[in-house]
Every structure is written in C-alpha cells, then in structure tokens.
Amino acid sequence: MQAAARKLAVMIIPWPHEHNPLASVSNFLYTEKTKSLYFGYITTLSGPLVLSGAIPVVDLALELINERDDVLQNYTLNYTDILDSKCDRTTSLDNFFQLINNDTTYVSLIGCGCSPATIPVAEISHYWNIPHLAYAAGADILNDRSRFKNFFRTILSFRYSGASLGQLMREFGWRQMAVITQDEILFRQVTESATNIFEDQGWKLNDFVVLSGGNPLSYFEKSNVKNFRIIHINAYPNFAYKILCEAYYRDMIGPMYLWIIPMWYNTGWWRTNSTSFSNNVSCTDEIMSKVIDGIIGIVPDGFLTLQNESLVTFSGL
C-alpha cells in the first residue's frame, strides 16, 4: 500500500470589514482549505497486469485540482491508501468492503484496475451512491448501464479489438488465423467480436480457449497446431510470455510464423525481470528478444485518437 500525503492549498477569501479582526492590516485573510474529500483508490499493483504507472498521473491531477480556487472551493481532494486488487475478483471485493467499512467517508471510487477486478465492484458500488471511475477496465460488458449504474471510464471499450483483427485480415489478404483466448470476460468478448467478423467475411478462425487456471501451453498439443501460421494471443502478458517462450522451442517463430499481441502490455513485459516472467519458463532475454522480433501489436480502433493531436481539454490544459 502507498500512503498519499497531500498539502492543503492556500486560497484568498474576502472577510467583511466589520467582522475582520485583522481589517486594519489587510482586507483579505490567507486561510487553508478547511475540509478534505476522499476517494477510494483500488488498482492492480501485482498480478497479470500492473497499473502502478498511473499513480503519478492521478497525483498530478490532484495537484492541479487542489491548486485551483474555482474548483471545490474550501475543500481539498485526496485519497487514503492505494489497495491492490491483484486483478482478482475476490481480492477486489475485499478491498472495496475494506474501504466502505472504515471511518472515512468516500465521495467516489477509482478502481479497480483490470476488468475482472472491476466488474464485480462496479455491479454494487451504486448501492452506496458512489460514482465509480476506471481507467484500465476495457471489457465491453461494462457498457451495460442497467447493470453498472454508476460506472464511468476514461478508456475505450475493447469491443473494437475484433474489428482491428478484421482490418489486418483485409490489409494483408489473409484467409485464416488462430486465436488463443484466455478465459476472462475481457478476452472472450474480443474473440466473440472477431468470430462474427470472420464468419461474415468467410474467413477461418481457429479459436482455442484456455480455462481459468489452465495451462496455456496446452495449445501446442493440438494436432493441427502448425497449420496456422498467423496466431493472435488474446490474453494477459504473463500468459503470452509462456506461449511465446514455448513457441521458440517448437520452432514456431518468425519469419515462418506471425504472432499478434495486444499493444497495451507493460513496457518490458518480455524481460525476465518483469512481472510477466515465470520462474517455470526457460527463456532468457536474448531468446525472447528473438521471439518478439517481427511481432505485430494491435491497438483497438480509435484507441489512440489523440496520439498526434494537441487539443484543449475541459480542464483548460
């Protein structure tokens, strides 16, 4: 956990002359913001997807808000501790009830990291009348307003990932692809979207689903595994690491095989010092460097719409 201490911002407020004991000195009094408002903060600090890189951005946003006198006058916005959902449903719910049952009143919630950790909390957070904001949960199911009544997010739904695969097929004139899908709602919906597109176009999609807790290397036990030269890993990075390491020893890497992965993986996810690395695999950084040479990374359509633009946002920045 990470404690987050904040300095109270200073603002100038007018004080009526007849009630001001310092009126002879000044018509204004410097005072501190009098009250603190807290939001809960749950994210994935460990597990298959690490999102600690967003913490400095949240801190910067707090600093910018608390420095302004035209936003939340007489209040300072803050958070208490950062709780680790570990990208796990049960842990995330435990985190949420830990927040709700302590002595602090929360005006909102940022959480809870990845989609599997966010979905169960987003289903119930509205019972406490808490606005729930996420920046990393991309599952399309979270668009269901009747089910997730008080949930909002700053990230696009991953419903477009299937369309991205379809665009690759059209661009290069491919006719078949294998998809290795991790059995999580985020990835299942991507595969379902791709399946519909492939069926409409008459392309062949060979979908292999690895159940939760299952061994991703079971993909290589399929009798027709080498019939598909274009393979999309639809999974978290620790899952992809194991598959690509095994592909090296199966001689299933470029240029004869093309692997496609999501582009949102953590920086350096393929290195032995990353959170994606498993002690059970036998690939060095040099081997993995060879494996990922020539890999295609996909980003959902519209995901980087502001990449090359400079726009003034609602904040005025």
Side-chain angles (χ1 to χ4, degrees):
M1 297 185 182
Q2 172 179 332
R6 297 285 176 276
K7 293 182 179 179
L8 294 174
V10 176
M11 59 182 294
I12 301 175
I13 59 173
W15 194 320
H17 186 278
E18 63 271 22
H19 299 296
N20 186 357
L22 301 179
S24 59
V25 178
S26 173
N27 290 328
F28 298 98
L29 176 69
Y30 287 91
T31 184
E32 293 182 334
K33 288 188 175 182
T34 56
K35 296 181 180 179
S36 290
L37 298 176
Y38 292 94
F39 61 85
Y41 193 172
I42 305 172
T43 190
T44 52
L45 302 177
S46 61
L49 182 67
V50 176
L51 298 169
S52 56
I55 296 173
V57 182
V58 174
D59 289 344
L60 175 59
L62 280 178
E63 181 180 342
L64 293 173
I65 291 171
N66 289 332
E67 284 178 349
R68 293 176 60 166
D69 291 337
D70 60 334
V71 178
L72 296 176
Q73 289 187 359
N74 299 323
Y75 291 93
T76 299
L77 188 60
N78 199 349
Y79 60 84
T80 47
D81 295 327
I82 302 176
L83 304 182
D84 183 9
S85 71
K86 301 180 181 179
C87 198
D88 175 73
R89 174 187 178 90
T90 303
T91 304
S92 183
L93 284 169
D94 287 345
N95 289 162
F96 178 69
F97 288 117
Q98 178 181 335
L99 289 173
I100 294 301
N101 291 322
N102 69 20
D103 294 332
T104 302
T105 299
Y106 293 98
V107 296
S108 64
L109 170 68
I110 291 183
C112 300
C114 69
S115 294
T118 301
I119 290 171
V121 175
E123 282 188 297
I124 63 174
S125 57
H126 67 92
Y127 288 114
W128 285 266
N129 197 30
I130 297 177
H132 185 172
L133 178 66
Y135 55 75
D140 186 42
I141 194 174
L142 287 165
N143 286 335
D144 186 350
R145 182 58 62 189
S146 65
R147 181 176 173 185
F148 307 100
K149 296 181 174 62
N150 238 12
F151 178 77
F152 308 90
R153 55 183 166 185
T154 60
I155 184 175
L156 287 177
S157 162
F158 277 26
R159 65 187 301 178
Y160 304 106
S161 294
S164 298
L165 290 174
Q167 187 60 35
L168 276 177
M169 297 289 287
R170 297 186 191 95
E171 182 72 21
F172 295 106
W174 299 335
R175 291 293 178 265
Q176 64 178 26
M177 178 187 294
V179 177
I180 306 174
T181 302
Q182 187 172 357
D183 187 27
E184 296 285 357
I185 186 63
L186 171 65
F187 304 114
R188 290 199 304 268
Q189 290 188 318
V190 170
T191 300
E192 290 170 4
S193 172
T195 298
N196 294 332
I197 293 173
F198 275 58
E199 289 178 350
D200 291 342
Q201 297 295 323
W203 301 326
K204 185 174 182 180
L205 181 68
N206 184 267
D207 179 28
F208 183 79
V209 178
V210 179
L211 298 179
S212 297
N215 182 6
L217 302 187
S218 58
Y219 171 75
F220 295 96
E221 298 172 3
K222 297 179 60 178
S223 59
N224 64 342
V225 66
K226 291 198 173 184
N227 293 347
F228 291 86
R229 301 298 183 95
I230 302 167
I231 310 164
H232 171 45
I233 302 178
N234 184 26
Y236 284 118
N238 61 332
F239 191 103
Y241 188 105
K242 295 178 181 179
I243 292 176
L244 291 173
C245 177
E246 181 68 16
Y248 174 82
Y249 291 104
R250 301 265 182 164
D251 198 24
M252 292 178 60
I253 62 174
M256 296 302 294
Y257 289 83
L258 173 64
W259 293 88
I260 303 172
I261 63 171
M263 186 64 84
W264 46 262
Y265 284 178
N266 298 110
T267 301
W269 63 272
W270 52 274
R271 296 186 181 276
T272 54
N273 63 355
S274 75
T275 56
S276 305
F277 174 72
S278 170
N279 291 328
N280 296 325
V281 297
S282 55
C283 284
T284 63
D285 288 353
E286 290 74 19
I287 288 177
M288 289 299 290
S289 180
K290 294 178 182 178
V291 173
I292 66 173
D293 185 19
I295 276 182
I296 288 180
I298 64 169
V299 179
D301 184 28
F303 199 78
L304 297 178
T305 53
L306 301 180
Q307 184 179 29
N308 297 314
E309 298 182 40
S310 179
L311 302 174
V312 177
T313 67
F314 289 112
S315 68
L317 300 178

